[in-house]
Amino acid sequence: MNFKLTEEQELIKKVASGFAKDILAKTAAEEDKTKRFPIENIKELAKMGLMGVNIPFEYGGSEAGVVAYSLAATELAKVSASVAVTMMVTNMAAEIINYFGTEEQKKEHITKIMDGTYVTGAFGLSEPEYGSDAGSLKTTATLDGDYYVINGNKAWITNGGYAGIFIVFARTNKDIKGAKGLSAILVKPGTEGFTIGKEENKMGLKSSSTVSLSFDNVRVHKSNLLGKEGDGFKIAMTALDGGRIGVASQGLGLGLAALEDATAYVKERKQFGRKIAEFQAIQWMLADSATELEAARMLIMQAAFLKESGAKRFSKEAAMAKYFATETANRVAGKAIQMLGGYGYTEDFNLERYYRDVRVTTIYEGTSQIQQLVIGREVLK
Ligand code: CAA
């Protein structure tokens, strides 16, 4: 077993880390306060090839693989988890068009994500009434001649305010209530009847975009169907298996950043005449955090490596990575604040932002409970 990164993986990691430290670090805290979407930095990610880390060269991607993608997401998340999620969901949209799209769809959309013509891509699965139970969603797409007519509402759509393309999941067969009646359709912003809602006021990831969508008799040519009719749920689940590796990587980045800040603090802070790093109570918190983050990294690398090797299904490994890494990152961020005491509770330190940002990682792209369900079903097979 070889744990050494390839030269290409090291390079992508270095590029993402350099950009995060040199550019994102300057404005991340301020953007969190003002809720500004850092569009110039997001466009820069496309120029650096980070919007298509696992996309073939022929469509403008970096073709560096899933491990490299995970490393990049972690490095960005160490500094700005908002930028990381914007990058992750854009990569997910590009990848899923690459995996299921026709040659025409790939040339039309992936290249525009890669060159930054589309600032981001977005994924429209969740609805106000259907989150975990994605297979029951009720947005409809009814064929009328050569056009699908889409009606319904979507919720919590990451990147929605800046997306050049949306992958929208809708029920094309009303007679089938569950997962098999769903299809995936590519929809562009600006299409008549398609309204992008206002930005949500979130606890964290405040400089990322999260909106609702509404579709009122939106007509989309049938050539925009992704895959076949009825494939929608499998497309969504395939996308989420990959996406969960991304969220796990984001969680890892946030956890590592929290641990780094706490470590620096305890080496300076004195109480009872000594640096608090000398107290075992602190060392145990550091030890638990470092060990659990390393274990999370291993689970993430395993899932990324499996996907990269072309495994048909890696749902269990992706779910384990997301479940463990994001729960760990939440624990680590909590302990880090404990070590900083009152200072950790103020906006003067980045930790407070990490603590808010990390909270959603056990919720989006499938809650921890959904990951447990996926893992549990696999164990029982
Ligand atoms: N890959 C391929 N196919 C899959 C699959 C996968 N990972 N998971 C399920 N399927 C297939 C099944 O094999 C089955 O097909 P067959 O009947 O042909 O065998 C079909 O899909 C239905 O599967 P299930 O019966 O398992 O479906 P279910 O209704 O029980 O749901 C679930 C399973 C795991 C709970 C799923 O609904 C799920 O993951 N829910 C969570 C949804 C989610 O993660 N939402 C996040 C929103 S997106 C987001 O957050 C993005 C963002 O903006 C940041």
Side-chain angles (χ1 to χ4, degrees), residues 195-373:
T195 308
I196 295 169
K198 63 174 178 43
E199 293 289 342
E200 298 290 348
N201 286 312
K202 308 186 293 280
M203 173 197 273
L205 298 184
K206 287 176 184 274
S207 54
S208 71
S209 169
T210 310
V211 296
S212 57
L213 310 175
S214 85
F215 299 86
D216 181 12
N217 287 317
V218 176
R219 294 179 75 80
V220 178
H221 193 269
K222 65 181 186 188
S223 60
N224 290 293
L225 180 71
L226 195 61
K228 296 195 301 293
E229 265 202 19
D231 279 354
F233 192 72
K234 284 190 183 175
I235 294 177
M237 291 300 117
T238 305
L240 285 170
D241 282 345
R244 287 167 185 169
I245 298 174
V247 178
S249 312
Q250 180 193 33
L252 175 64
L254 279 159
L256 289 169
L259 177 59
E260 192 178 315
D261 287 7
T263 307
Y265 181 84
V266 300
K267 285 196 219 165
E268 295 296 326
R269 173 75 171 168
K270 282 189 179 160
Q271 290 292 282
F272 305 102
R274 288 194 263 171
K275 298 212 166 120
I276 63 170
E278 292 174 31
F279 293 112
Q280 280 189 336
I282 295 290
Q283 290 169 11
W284 288 342
M285 282 197 270
L286 294 174
D288 284 350
S289 298
T291 306
E292 288 175 35
L293 287 171
E294 189 58 19
R297 194 172 73 83
M298 292 299 184
L299 283 174
I300 296 169
M301 285 297 111
Q302 172 176 255
F305 181 75
L306 258 182
K307 180 179 171 196
E308 186 162 315
S309 331
K312 252 199 141 70
R313 283 285 286 268
F314 47 90
S315 310
K316 182 184 78 179
E317 289 77 9
M320 284 178 164
K322 182 186 187 284
Y323 175 44
F324 189 75
T326 61
E327 291 289 344
T328 292
N330 272 273
R331 276 195 301 277
V332 169
K335 281 182 187 150
I337 292 201
Q338 196 66 22
M339 287 186 257
L340 265 76
Y343 292 107
Y345 197 61
T346 69
E347 290 180 2
D348 298 342
F349 289 80
N350 285 326
L351 256 183
E352 174 267 349
R353 172 165 55 93
Y354 302 154
Y355 189 71
R356 284 184 288 105
D357 286 353
V358 80
R359 188 62 192 85
V360 77
T361 61
T362 63
I363 298 171
Y364 64 15
E365 300 207 18
T367 60
S368 286
Q369 291 66 34
I370 289 294
Q371 309 313 319
Q372 287 174 296
L373 182 150

Side-chain angles (χ1 to χ4, degrees), residues 11-264:
L11 179 69
I12 294 276
K13 184 178 173 189
K14 201 170 149 199
V15 166
S17 165
F19 183 65
K21 287 180 186 151
D22 298 343
I23 307 295
L24 300 182
K26 288 184 192 155
T27 53
E30 189 55 32
E31 280 151 9
D32 172 70
K33 288 197 180 83
T34 57
K35 301 183 189 168
R36 193 181 83 83
F37 183 85
I39 191 160
E40 63 294 336
N41 290 339
I42 299 301
K43 286 187 169 175
E44 206 55 40
L45 289 178
K47 283 192 198 149
M48 293 188 304
L50 294 182
M51 286 307 202
V53 182
N54 189 36
I55 293 291
F57 293 132
E58 66 173 304
Y59 304 114
S62 299
E63 207 173 305
V66 189
V67 170
Y69 159 74
S70 161
L71 296 169
T74 297
E75 293 307 315
L76 296 176
K78 280 183 189 169
V79 176
S80 170
S82 285
V83 168
V85 73
T86 310
M87 170 268 195
M88 285 148 43
V89 174
T90 303
N91 272 270
M92 175 162 88
E95 276 199 40
I96 216 65
I97 298 173
N98 182 47
Y99 201 69
F100 291 99
T102 62
E103 195 53 36
E104 247 175 29
Q105 289 169 340
K106 293 184 201 185
K107 286 202 176 116
E108 166 69 13
H109 302 296
I110 301 181
T111 52
K112 288 185 181 145
I113 297 175
M114 296 304 111
D115 70 11
T117 307
Y118 297 165
V119 179
T120 66
F123 185 79
L125 179 69
S126 300
E127 299 188 353
E129 291 170 63
Y130 298 97
S132 294
D133 185 11
S136 298
L137 65 82
K138 66 177 187 191
T139 292
T140 54
T142 312
L143 205 52
D144 175 23
D146 283 343
Y147 287 80
Y148 283 107
V149 183
I150 308 178
N151 281 292
N153 295 292
K154 295 286 171 185
W156 320 117
I157 307 305
T158 302
N159 286 347
Y162 298 85
I165 193 69
F166 293 79
I167 303 170
V168 176
F169 296 88
R171 191 164 299 284
T172 42
N173 191 333
K174 287 180 200 156
D175 298 333
I176 304 178
K177 292 264 176 287
K180 287 195 167 58
L182 304 181
S183 300
I185 301 172
L186 298 166
V187 185
K188 283 190 166 192
T191 310
E192 206 182 328
F194 177 22
T195 308
I196 295 169
K198 63 174 178 43
E199 293 289 342
E200 298 290 348
N201 286 312
K202 308 186 293 280
M203 173 197 273
L205 298 184
K206 287 176 184 274
S207 54
S208 71
S209 169
T210 310
V211 296
S212 57
L213 310 175
S214 85
F215 299 86
D216 181 12
N217 287 317
V218 176
R219 294 179 75 80
V220 178
H221 193 269
K222 65 181 186 188
S223 60
N224 290 293
L225 180 71
L226 195 61
K228 296 195 301 293
E229 265 202 19
D231 279 354
F233 192 72
K234 284 190 183 175
I235 294 177
M237 291 300 117
T238 305
L240 285 170
D241 282 345
R244 287 167 185 169
I245 298 174
V247 178
S249 312
Q250 180 193 33
L252 175 64
L254 279 159
L256 289 169
L259 177 59
E260 192 178 315
D261 287 7
T263 307

